[in-house]
Amino acid sequence: MTERTLSIIKPDGVARGVMGEVIRRFESEGIRIAAMKMIHMTQAQAEGFYAVHKERPFFGSLTEFMSSGPCVVMILEGENVIAKNRELMGATNFKEAAPGTIRADFATDIEKNVVHGSDAPETAAFEMGYFFNNFEIVG
Ligand code: UDP
């Protein structure tokens, strides 16, 4: 089934110069980039994006980190792309991420883990709508 998902290259990934490498991995898997832009979120915008985590102990630190510099936000499109992107990303904790995944290769910290990817169709719909309107998604 063709799906869409939201991907973010987080501020650590942009700062460390792995934007191109992350995008290359998506493209080499046959994933289509249906929308892409750079943004620098305010902490309030990051709080809105991560609202599901607002009770978690890492919420303040996470939203400060996500607003610390520019990110790349993308809509990825392809067969089962929600799960496929999660596979390419690897586990949240880079120490548990499978070898060859983006987080295993580039993450430095459980928080600074290079990429975000939606985890289900419902969250993908919310997250894509948070950053993109219909005119920004190319066919
Ligand atoms: N995070 C953190 N500490 C934790 C768990 C998560 O700093 O103990 C951060 C990390 O950047 C992670 C994000 O919060 O990517 C969202 O957490 P989630 O559990 O949704 O992980 P993900 O879906 O990004 O793998």
Side-chain angles (χ1 to χ4, degrees):
M1 190 181 60
T2 300
E3 291 176 330
R4 285 177 175 167
T5 192
L6 186 85
S7 168
I8 305 179
I9 304 176
K10 295 183 179 185
D12 61 323
V14 173
R16 292 179 42 241
V18 299
M19 281 191 287
E21 175 58 19
V22 171
I23 294 167
R24 189 194 67 74
R25 290 182 185 210
F26 295 150
E27 290 184 315
S28 68
E29 289 293 321
I31 292 170
R32 192 176 82 83
I33 297 173
M36 176 161 68
K37 62 187 171 189
M38 292 188 83
I39 55 162
H40 187 155
M41 281 185 267
T42 63
Q43 191 160 1
Q45 288 168 331
E47 286 167 1
F49 179 72
Y50 276 121
V52 290
H53 290 314
K54 65 176 183 293
E55 307 302 335
R56 308 284 287 276
F58 56 81
F59 183 69
S61 174
L62 173 63
T63 55
E64 191 180 330
F65 159 58
M66 289 299 288
S67 56
S68 67
C71 292
V72 178
V73 288
M74 289 174 273
I75 294 178
L76 307 181
E77 187 182 273
E79 290 287 302
N80 298 314
V81 75
I82 296 174
K84 195 166 183 177
N85 179 43
R86 299 285 303 185
E87 243 178 75
L88 293 172
M89 287 162 57
T92 308
N93 183 349
F94 73 106
K95 291 181 182 159
E96 291 160 14
T101 59
I102 294 167
R103 284 167 167 171
D105 289 346
F106 304 116
T108 51
D109 184 298
I110 190 165
E111 177 181 83
K112 297 175 181 61
N113 58 2
V114 189
V115 278
H116 167 85
S118 314
D119 61 3
E122 302 71 36
T123 46
F126 166 76
E127 293 178 359
M128 292 189 287
Y130 197 78
F131 293 116
F132 293 100
N133 65 47
N134 284 340
F135 300 105
E136 296 173 298
I137 302 171
V138 297

